[in-house]
Amino acid sequence: SKLMSFHSLSKEKLVEFINANNNSPEASTLRTYLSELPRHPSQIYEMMIGLLVFGILFYLFKWKSNNLKDGVLFYTFFIAYFSLRFLIEFIKEYQTLTSSYLTMGQYLSIPFILVGLVMMIRIYKDKKATA
C-alpha cells in the first residue's frame, strides 16, 4: 500500500509531507495511522513522579527536618521533580519550537534543575562556613 512507502521517512519528512499535502487522501491516511499508534501513558508517569517527589519531601520533612537548613526542601523539589520530568519528556509526544533533540518541557526544566543545584550548593557551603 501507499502507507508503507512512508515507513522509511524520518519524522521531519513525515511532518513536512503532512503539512505540504494537508488535504490529500494520503496525508489524511497517514495522520489517522499515526494517531492510532500506541503511546506511553506519560500522564500516569507524571503522576507517579509527583507522588514519588511528594514521598521524598514528606520523608525529609517528617524525619529529617531537624537537620535541614532553610530552603533545602524547596530546592530538593526543584531538583527531584524537574530532573524526573526531564527524563519523562523523552517518551512523551515531541513538543518543541525548534528542530533539536530536546523537547520544550526539557528546555523549561533545565533552569529549575540548575537553580536547585546552585542553591543547594550555596546552602551547604554556608552551613560549612557557620559550623
Side-chain angles (χ1 to χ4, degrees), residues 10-13 15-16 94-104 106-107:
S10 67
K11 182 179 6 178
E12 291 80 18
K13 292 291 183 186
V15 170
E16 184 179 308
Y94 196 74
Q95 302 169 6
T96 189
L97 300 175
T98 63
S99 59
S100 72
Y101 294 106
L102 298 178
T103 66
M104 183 56 64
Q106 289 170 321
Y107 282 123

Side-chain angles (χ1 to χ4, degrees), residues 87-122:
L87 296 175
I88 293 292
E89 287 287 325
F90 282 113
I91 59 172
K92 287 177 72 174
E93 190 168 332
Y94 196 74
Q95 302 169 6
T96 189
L97 300 175
T98 63
S99 59
S100 72
Y101 294 106
L102 298 178
T103 66
M104 183 56 64
Q106 289 170 321
Y107 282 123
L108 296 173
S109 294
I110 290 171
F112 289 99
I113 296 168
L114 293 176
V115 166
L117 289 172
V118 167
M119 293 306 292
M120 288 289 266
I121 290 168
R122 213 169 144 197

Side-chain angles (χ1 to χ4, degrees), residues 5 9 27 31-32 65 69 75 92 97-98 105-106 112 116-117:
S5 64
L9 294 177
R31 253 193 315 278
T32 302
S65 62
K69 297 272 289 178
Y75 295 116
K92 287 177 72 174
L97 300 175
T98 63
Q106 289 170 321
F112 289 99
L117 289 172

Side-chain angles (χ1 to χ4, degrees), residues 42-59:
S42 60
Q43 297 88 349
I44 294 173
Y45 298 160
E46 288 180 352
M47 178 204 60
M48 290 169 59
I49 67 168
L51 292 173
L52 177 66
V53 170
F54 172 77
I56 291 167
L57 294 175
F58 186 76
Y59 169 78

